Amino acid sequence: MKLIKLMAVTASTTALMASAAMADTTLNALFMSQAAYSEDNIKSMTSAFEAANPGTRVELEFVPYEALHDKIIAASGAGDDGYDVVLFDVIWPAEFAERGFLTDVSDRVAADLTSKIFDGAWTTVEYDGKRYGMPWILDTKYLYYNTEILAAAGIETPPATWQDVLAQAKVIKDKGLVEYPLVWSWSQSEAMICDFTTLTAAHGGVFFDDGKPAFETGGAKAALDYMKTSLGDGLTNPASLEYFEEDVRRVFSAGDAAFAMNWTYMNSLVNDPAESQVAGKVGVMSAPGVSGVSEASAVNGSMGLGIPANSPHADEAWAYITHLTNQATQEEFATLSLPIWKGSYSQSAVTDGQEDLVAAADKSIAVMYPRPLVASYTEVSSILQKHLHGALLDQTTSEEALGNAAKRVARIR
């Protein structure tokens, strides 16, 4: 009898240990260490998730945005050792869906969520009628301006159009207030493409027409001409040709620029005395339009969270994504990235202290313009980056740069 009881206890203990082992899950999650939520934000969100889900632990990995795409692709061949949750850009779902890198989660998304989240946010994770994740970062680039410099130049109102931006920048430069009033992230990178897209949208341009490149003329050419003019007239800091977003923030925060284009996250940091010399002297607005063409302009710079197709922990990964993207979590961390939820914009936790940003977002979200939503986007972007950058370096004219880019893009489409 004692032997039987001992065997029963041993079997019971073994079963409990096996059950515990099965319950303990480690998720590998990939994020970027650039713009939007900070690493500390994401770690805090993750700690709250782990506390509420004691059987699940999350290993976080942070990489620069420029490494994110290739990391996701490389891990797709790693089997169970790949990622369980990945952050992806709005420009990648077409490629990732067609190549089978992301899991279709359409059936996991509750039907009542569709109307509660901005349409522009949903486009971040949709392709061919399916959803490949949850939108998380609802973002675009805003125009930041130094109110003290504008006042010293006798400028009473911020610019209403992109033409006004150059006119005001010239006044500021002529008065000797700053050497280069404008600063941008125009390194040969995706950051430059985002600014080019904003300006293309403002000028009424398009990337493709009936599936063929259409960016060598019209609004896209006007956008590149605008960029070149700002450099040629000495209004844009020439170092912008090497800058990323954090470089823009650094220059603007030092008081060395009157205007800067950057993402939501900069608003909080440039108004933090510990991070900025211009705290309390910053205005933010939606990127302006072009007289007779548009009233505002914005690039869709949103990002989503998805489950790689090779993840062995899809259920736990979805629970983690649900936690990161829920309304309460986003409202708690709304200073570096505004929520995807329509209802959040009436909450004091979101609006207090950043009323100007919320007002700018209200205008910008409505006009967010996409970069080309094609499966070959990475190649298209690379071609554009090379030729646009060459034009900005005065190696070619706008016509030559965009014409050559269009010919190359046509060959891969």
Side-chain angles (χ1 to χ4, degrees):
M1 181 65 72
K2 289 182 178 180
L3 179 59
I4 292 173
K5 286 182 178 179
L6 179 59
M7 291 174 63
V9 170
T10 302
S12 176
T13 301
T14 302
L16 287 171
M17 290 175 64
S19 176
M22 291 175 63
D24 290 337
T25 300
T26 297
L27 299 177
N28 293 310
L30 180 67
F31 296 95
M32 69 173 180
S33 54
Q34 184 175 326
Y37 297 115
S38 68
E39 291 187 26
D40 286 342
N41 284 167
I42 296 170
K43 289 174 182 176
S44 294
M45 296 177 196
T46 301
S47 294
F49 170 76
E50 290 175 333
N53 298 269
T56 306
R57 188 167 62 89
V58 184
E59 289 286 343
L60 302 173
E61 181 178 348
F62 297 93
V63 299
Y65 169 86
E66 288 71 28
L68 202 55
H69 176 273
D70 291 350
K71 274 273 190 181
I72 295 171
I73 291 179
S76 67
D80 291 355
D81 295 326
Y83 298 110
D84 301 291
V85 173
V86 294
L87 175 67
F88 61 88
D89 203 345
V90 62
I91 51 182
W92 300 334
E95 175 192 359
F96 288 177
E98 290 197 3
R99 297 179 68 177
F101 293 157
L102 287 178
T103 301
D104 176 3
V105 298
S106 303
D107 292 340
R108 292 181 181 268
V109 179
D112 66 334
L113 293 187
T114 297
S115 63
K116 296 179 180 179
I117 292 173
F118 288 105
D119 291 341
W122 281 122
T123 62
T124 308
V125 298
E126 293 176 333
Y127 178 68
D128 199 23
K130 298 176 181 178
R131 288 174 174 165
Y132 290 89
M134 276 291 290
W136 189 41
I137 296 170
L138 179 63
D139 213 352
T140 188
K141 281 193 165 183
Y142 299 96
L143 182 65
Y144 293 87
Y145 55 94
N146 184 309
T147 57
E148 186 176 60
I149 292 177
L150 264 63
I155 299 170
E156 297 181 354
T157 58
T161 66
W162 280 112
Q163 296 96 319
D164 290 345
V165 171
L166 293 187
Q168 292 187 5
K170 186 176 187 309
V171 171
I172 290 166
K173 183 179 180 71
D174 288 347
K175 288 182 177 292
L177 297 171
V178 289
E179 184 176 7
Y180 299 112
L182 291 162
V183 62
W184 314 71
S185 47
W186 287 353
S187 58
Q188 188 173 322
S189 66
E190 192 63 31
M192 175 185 61
I193 298 298
C194 290
D195 286 348
F196 176 66
T197 300
T198 301
L199 291 166
T200 294
H203 287 86
V206 296
F207 286 104
F208 290 92
D209 184 14
D210 196 24
K212 298 178 181 179
F215 50 77
E216 69 271 34
T217 60
K221 179 183 175 297
L224 182 54
D225 286 341
Y226 183 95
M227 297 164 79
K228 285 175 66 67
T229 295
S230 75
L231 282 163
D233 290 350
L235 303 177
T236 283
N237 189 327
S240 295
L241 297 177
E242 301 174 358
Y243 282 170
F244 291 93
E245 291 89 344
E246 275 293 86
D247 300 305
V248 169
R249 180 174 76 87
R250 175 179 52 78
V251 171
F252 188 84
S253 296
D256 293 332
F259 299 102
M261 283 287 287
N262 216 330
W263 307 103
T264 304
Y265 86 104
M266 188 168 108
N267 186 65
S268 174
L269 296 176
V270 293
N271 284 297
D272 180 354
E275 293 276 348
S276 170
Q277 297 177 39
V278 298
K281 306 171 185 176
V282 179
V284 59
M285 58 180 283
S286 59
V290 169
S291 181
V293 179
S294 58
E295 294 185 0
S297 53
V299 60
N300 189 344
S302 304
M303 304 185 78
L305 293 170
I307 305 170
N310 58 317
S311 169
H313 307 299
D315 290 340
E316 295 89 343
W318 185 250
Y320 180 48
I321 289 174
T322 299
H323 171 79
L324 294 180
T325 60
N326 76 51
Q327 188 168 346
T329 299
Q330 290 216 301
E331 289 176 0
E332 182 181 354
F333 296 92
T335 57
L336 294 182
S337 184
L338 292 172
I340 59 175
W341 302 88
K342 296 176 182 177
S344 294
Y345 291 78
S346 60
Q347 303 300 313
S348 59
V350 174
T351 60
D352 284 0
Q354 50 184 18
E355 289 82 2
D356 288 348
L357 175 64
V358 171
D362 184 58
K363 195 171 183 179
S364 295
I365 289 171
V367 297
M368 285 198 305
Y369 193 81
R371 287 159 283 171
L373 300 176
V374 293
S376 57
Y377 179 78
T378 302
E379 295 170 272
V380 171
S381 177
S382 180
I383 291 169
L384 279 170
Q385 288 174 34
K386 176 183 176 182
H387 290 281
L388 290 175
H389 206 249
L392 295 180
L393 288 169
D394 260 346
Q395 296 171 349
T396 61
T397 65
S398 297
E399 292 88 348
E400 291 169 338
L402 294 174
N404 291 334
K407 290 175 185 176
R408 288 198 58 194
V409 168
R411 290 198 291 266
I412 64 171
R413 290 284 294 142

